[in-house]
Amino acid sequence: NGVNKKRTELRYLLRLEKIGILCMQETRQRAAHWPLRLSGYKSFVALGEEMSSVRGLAILVRNKYNCEPVGRASPFWLFVRVSGGDLTEPFIIGTVYVPPRHNRAQIFRLLPGALASIEAAHPGIPVVLTGDFNMELHTLQLEMTSWPTPLQAMDNEGSKATRQGAHARQIDHFAYRGSLGDCSPPTPRVLDHWDIADHYPVVLDL
């Protein structure tokens, strides 16, 4: 729900949780706002527009990793290839925002093809996709089974709800394709002690 007045909160989150890669949705950033640059991190952004469904995306990657954007730019998804540092192999991380109403059908029609193109250009590299899908886990799992290269959406452990307030729901998810290291990735965790947005952060240790 916007980052333009949250530079300090983002710094604390990155430092205290020792986050290597941060994926954000609904940054509500536009060209006139402060550049999303934080010390020690490279930033990749897709700016929002006046349309309520185009709210902006960002991926921050710690400087110890090599990284480059991959795939075609979109206002609804953003992908970065990450390698080096303490990683044993490269992988591709993506962040996605699916609006609750407008453009949903178009996004789910185009996103699988965008992923397939990325995977064709980077064969054998694992893909991790995270974001605000505005749908419950079982619905997302069913949706992803029909994709040309299906992804496995993972259940959050502990406090599963990711949206705060009276309408709390589990609508922020991690999904992946391929082998991440020597075993399957651990379960995503909801950091419900962080209250800096209208959704709680969800983390995955790789």
Side-chain angles (χ1 to χ4, degrees):
N1 197 25
V3 298
N4 294 304
K5 296 180 180 179
K6 298 177 181 175
R7 190 191 298 257
T8 300
E9 288 90 340
L10 283 172
R11 284 193 181 122
Y12 277 123
L13 175 65
L14 292 166
R15 188 180 74 203
L16 295 182
E17 299 294 342
K18 299 180 173 61
I19 291 174
I21 302 169
L22 179 67
C23 296
M24 289 182 284
Q25 308 83 39
E26 293 189 278
T27 63
R28 298 185 181 271
Q29 269 205 306
R30 299 193 174 92
H33 294 148
W34 63 277
L36 185 55
R37 297 194 187 100
L38 293 173
S39 177
Y41 288 81
K42 305 178 186 76
S43 63
F44 302 86
V45 300
L47 297 179
E49 299 174 5
E50 295 304 322
M51 299 163 50
S52 62
S53 59
V54 183
R55 299 184 180 179
L57 300 164
I59 298 179
L60 301 181
V61 183
R62 282 185 65 177
N63 284 339
K64 71 176 182 178
Y65 299 114
N66 303 315
C67 50
E68 60 178 346
V70 295
R72 194 175 261 186
S74 163
F76 298 104
W77 59 78
L78 182 64
F79 288 89
V80 173
R81 183 182 184 272
V82 184
S83 63
D86 51 6
L87 297 173
T88 58
E89 59 180 329
F91 73 99
I92 292 170
I93 181 80
T95 182
V96 62
Y97 174 69
V98 181
R101 288 175 295 276
H102 304 297
N103 300 109
R104 288 181 69 84
Q106 179 186 18
I107 292 168
F108 280 120
R109 186 174 69 251
L110 298 178
L111 177 57
L115 264 168
S117 296
I118 290 172
E119 292 166 348
H122 303 272
I125 297 183
V127 174
V128 177
L129 181 64
T130 187
D132 178 2
F133 292 88
N134 271 301
M135 62 172 59
E136 299 289 345
L137 177 65
H138 65 279
T139 308
L140 179 62
Q141 289 172 329
L142 185 62
E143 172 71 36
M144 287 182 167
T145 59
S146 65
W147 293 7
T149 51
L151 275 73
Q152 179 177 339
M154 294 178 279
D155 196 9
N156 298 329
E157 73 175 14
S159 174
K160 297 179 186 296
T162 58
R163 180 179 176 181
Q164 298 189 42
H167 303 289
R169 298 168 61 204
Q170 182 185 3
I171 56 177
D172 303 271
H173 308 284
F174 273 97
Y176 75 100
R177 184 196 66 80
S179 174
L180 300 171
D182 298 328
C183 59
S184 297
T187 307
R189 294 177 289 114
V190 179
L191 302 184
D192 56 5
H193 55 281
W194 280 94
D195 185 15
I196 63 173
D198 57 343
H199 291 228
Y200 293 121
V202 186
V203 296
L204 183 68
D205 298 319
L206 296 177

